[in-house]
């Protein structure tokens, strides 16, 4: 999806031309709605049915099947996948404060926390729902506070309920433009100034990267790309189509054909043309651009491969930044191959491969080697998932001779 299309979409939203007072209202709502840790929901209103009182996403899906079907495929639903769950199991015993810090984004409801902090001690959470923990960032995590429902304006921009609230399922919903604003996503996708920083850069800085980009100036919000048509998909680095939509990749040879003995030049260029933040924004992915020469049988010519990595590599203990070759919005990276054409029938193969979970693969391997404790079974499962997550984003061959 290109910037012009996204800008046209964003212009249809009230946020683009919002008055300062409206922006202030959005900010105030976000601060209130995401005040952490989230408070317990408390007793549901007496008139609520069990369906209305439930915090489980399956119950929400009874009346919102399209949203539930999308959510099930999303990384929000997998926010408490085996990798996180395995670590949290061990941390609950060794470092409960750290475990609660992780749950703040991965499973934010008070009812998802096995323990609560009372002064300087931790005790069993009396409202903990064990079967809710593994469901990650649920519908209620974003939409329910004290059993009151919150959501975006209707598609026509209106906020009013269609009838008396007391006659609507779960009392209807309080509607606010905040659900269409990038600020709504900030709490989990932006560290504050006290967060972990390496080489002077916060480890999680997505919101500020967006805010500094031309996309923010054009009114393009996080939701416009990651929730197109209000779908609850949140596609990102794991989704090939999403990644392709954000990049422009080209491969060119310096000449239509080379003769044997000539020096061939091949250029592979990756431009971040429709990504509204750094690509990739976080430290876990690794994107490898490569060029190699292959013969008529498709076999790689030894010693011909050149490659470059796009990403932010950090040490496993998160103490050092090893490199940062990410692309800011509008930036590009080029890889150039130069080599002698040794014989007829040679081709240059240019490729871009995405490893969304490269850091996690290394991290889980190290964690299992040193002992993952109670979470070892989940960590082993997570490791296998990370090893299967890579995909070829771009692959083309150019004749050389």
């Amino acid at each position: 999806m290109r910037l012009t299309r996204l800008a046209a979409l964003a212009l249809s939203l009230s946020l683009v031309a919002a008055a300062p007072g409206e922006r202030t209202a959005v900010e105030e709502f976000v601060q209130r709605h995401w005040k952490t840790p989230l408070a317990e929901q408390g007793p549901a209103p007496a008139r609520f049915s069990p369906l209305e009182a439930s915090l489980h996403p399956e119950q929400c899906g009874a009346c919102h099947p399209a949203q539930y079907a999308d959510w099930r495929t999303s990384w929000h639903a997998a926010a408490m996948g085996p990798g996180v769950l395995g670590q949290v199991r061990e941390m609950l015993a060794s470092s409960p404060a750290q475990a609660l810090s992780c749950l703040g984004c991965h499973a934010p409801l008070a009812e998802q926390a096995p323990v609560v902090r009372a002064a300087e001690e931790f005790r069993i959470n009396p409202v903990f729902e064990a079967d809710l923990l593994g469901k990650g960032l649920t519908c209620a995590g974003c939409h329910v506070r004290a059993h009151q429902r919150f959501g975006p304006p209707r598609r026509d921009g209106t906020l009013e309920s269609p009838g008396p609230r007391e006659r609507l399922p779960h009392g209807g919903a309080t509607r606010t433009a905040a659900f269409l604003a990038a600020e709504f996503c900030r709490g989990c996708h932006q560290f504050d100034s006290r967060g972990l920083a390496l080489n002077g850069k916060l480890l999680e800085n997505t919101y500020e990267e967006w805010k500094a980009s031309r996309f923010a100036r054009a009114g393009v919000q996080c939701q416009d790309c990651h929730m197109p048509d209000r779908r609850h998909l949140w596609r990102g680095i794991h989704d090939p189509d999403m990644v392709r939509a954000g990049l422009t990749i080209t491969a060119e040879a310096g000449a239509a054909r080379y003769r044997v003995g000539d020096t061939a030049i091949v250029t592979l260029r990756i431009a971040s043309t429709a990504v509204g933040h750094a690509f990739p924004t976080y430290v876990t992915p690794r994107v490898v651009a490569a060029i190699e020469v292959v013969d008529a049988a498709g076999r790689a010519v030894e010693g011909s491969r050149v490659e470059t990595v796009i990403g932010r590599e950090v040490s496993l203990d998160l103490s050092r930044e090893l490199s940062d070759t990410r692309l800011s919005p509008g930036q590009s990276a080029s890889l150039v191959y130069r080599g002698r054409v040794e014989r007829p029938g040679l081709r240059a193969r240019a490729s871009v491969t995405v490893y969304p979970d490269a850091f996690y693969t290394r991290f889980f391997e190290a964690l299992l080697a040193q002992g993952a404790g109670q979470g070892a079974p989940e960590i082993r499962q997570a490791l296998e998932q990370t090893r299967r997550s890579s995909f070829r984003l771009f692959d083309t061959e150019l004749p050389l001779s």
Side-chain angles (χ1 to χ4, degrees):
M1 191 178 289
R2 295 294 180 257
L3 175 61
T4 52
R5 181 181 170 191
L6 289 176
L9 174 62
L11 286 170
S12 69
L13 304 177
S14 59
L15 287 169
V16 175
E22 293 173 321
R23 297 302 308 178
T24 299
V26 165
E27 184 63 41
E28 289 176 350
F29 177 86
V30 169
Q31 294 284 355
R32 182 171 63 252
H33 195 74
W34 287 113
K35 184 179 179 180
T36 56
L38 299 186
E40 298 175 11
Q41 300 292 332
R47 64 184 179 82
F48 272 23
S49 68
L51 188 75
E52 294 168 296
S54 175
L55 300 175
H56 289 255
E58 307 83 42
Q59 305 304 319
C60 301
C63 295
H64 303 280
Q67 291 85 348
Y68 174 65
D70 281 348
W71 171 85
R72 287 185 63 190
T73 70
S74 75
W75 283 95
H76 281 184
M80 280 302 294
V84 179
L85 191 58
Q87 294 177 75
V88 167
R89 284 195 196 284
E90 186 66 15
M91 282 189 286
L92 283 169
S94 61
S95 178
Q98 188 176 3
L100 291 179
S101 175
C102 295
L103 294 180
C105 284
H106 287 268
L109 291 174
E111 292 76 10
Q112 292 178 293
V115 298
V116 292
R117 190 168 196 158
E120 297 303 315
E121 297 180 347
F122 293 89
R123 57 181 174 80
I124 299 298
N125 182 3
V127 300
F128 174 54
E129 297 185 31
D131 57 347
L132 191 60
L133 172 60
K135 295 175 182 178
L137 181 52
T138 62
C139 316
C142 288
H143 291 283
V144 183
R145 298 291 183 270
H147 287 286
Q148 182 180 353
R149 269 58 173 180
F150 296 86
R154 290 185 181 80
R155 290 178 184 270
D156 63 4
T158 59
L159 303 176
E160 295 77 16
S161 297
R165 294 278 291 264
E166 63 274 10
R167 296 183 181 179
L168 296 174
H170 52 64
T174 298
R175 299 182 179 276
T176 166
F179 277 82
L180 304 177
E183 287 80 1
F184 193 86
C185 311
R186 183 181 58 204
C188 287
H189 295 279
Q190 177 65 49
F191 285 175
D192 65 25
S193 58
R194 299 165 297 176
L196 176 60
L198 300 176
N199 198 21
K201 294 170 289 186
L202 290 168
L203 207 66
E204 176 73 66
N205 199 40
T206 306
Y207 173 80
E208 290 296 336
E209 292 165 1
W210 164 81
K211 194 175 179 181
S213 76
R214 72 185 191 276
F215 295 88
R217 293 190 293 275
V220 181
Q221 309 295 308
C222 309
Q223 294 86 335
D224 295 331
C225 291
H226 295 283
M227 296 184 70
D229 196 31
R230 300 196 180 189
R231 296 193 64 185
H232 288 53
L233 295 169
W234 303 289
R235 298 287 189 253
I237 191 67
H238 289 82
D239 185 83
D241 291 337
M242 183 72 179
V243 180
R244 288 190 186 97
L247 305 175
T248 299
I249 306 175
T250 57
E252 299 175 333
R257 289 288 192 278
Y258 292 97
R259 294 187 296 270
V260 173
D262 287 349
T263 297
I265 301 176
V266 178
T267 303
L268 174 61
R269 182 173 181 270
I270 304 170
S272 177
T273 48
V275 180
H277 44 70
F279 173 79
T281 185
Y282 199 48
V283 299
T284 51
R286 189 171 192 261
V287 181
V288 179
I291 304 173
E292 62 184 355
V293 176
V294 297
D295 60 21
R299 295 184 295 261
V301 174
E302 185 176 356
S304 68
R305 182 180 174 90
V306 294
E307 67 178 40
T308 190
V309 173
I310 299 172
R312 187 182 184 190
E313 186 176 0
V314 299
S315 60
L316 290 180
D317 63 358
L318 303 181
S319 65
R320 292 177 297 125
E321 178 184 271
L322 306 179
S323 65
D324 188 354
T325 55
R326 295 174 297 164
L327 302 179
S328 295
Q331 284 189 329
S332 63
S334 294
L335 175 67
V336 179
Y337 166 85
R338 291 181 175 85
R340 187 173 184 271
V341 179
E342 299 289 351
R343 57 185 183 274
L346 297 179
R347 303 185 306 280
R349 177 184 292 156
S351 65
V352 179
T353 306
V354 177
Y355 300 87
D357 301 312
F359 175 86
Y360 289 134
T361 300
R362 295 187 297 123
F363 177 74
F364 292 149
E365 288 172 344
L367 192 57
L368 288 168
Q370 72 183 26
Q374 300 176 43
E378 286 92 353
I379 297 299
R380 280 192 288 270
Q381 181 184 350
L383 174 59
E384 291 309 309
Q385 290 179 352
T386 68
R387 288 171 172 169
R388 296 193 301 267
S389 66
S390 64
F391 57 88
R392 185 64 58 88
L393 184 69
F394 177 86
D395 198 346
T396 192
E397 293 187 359
L398 304 171
L400 295 181
S401 61

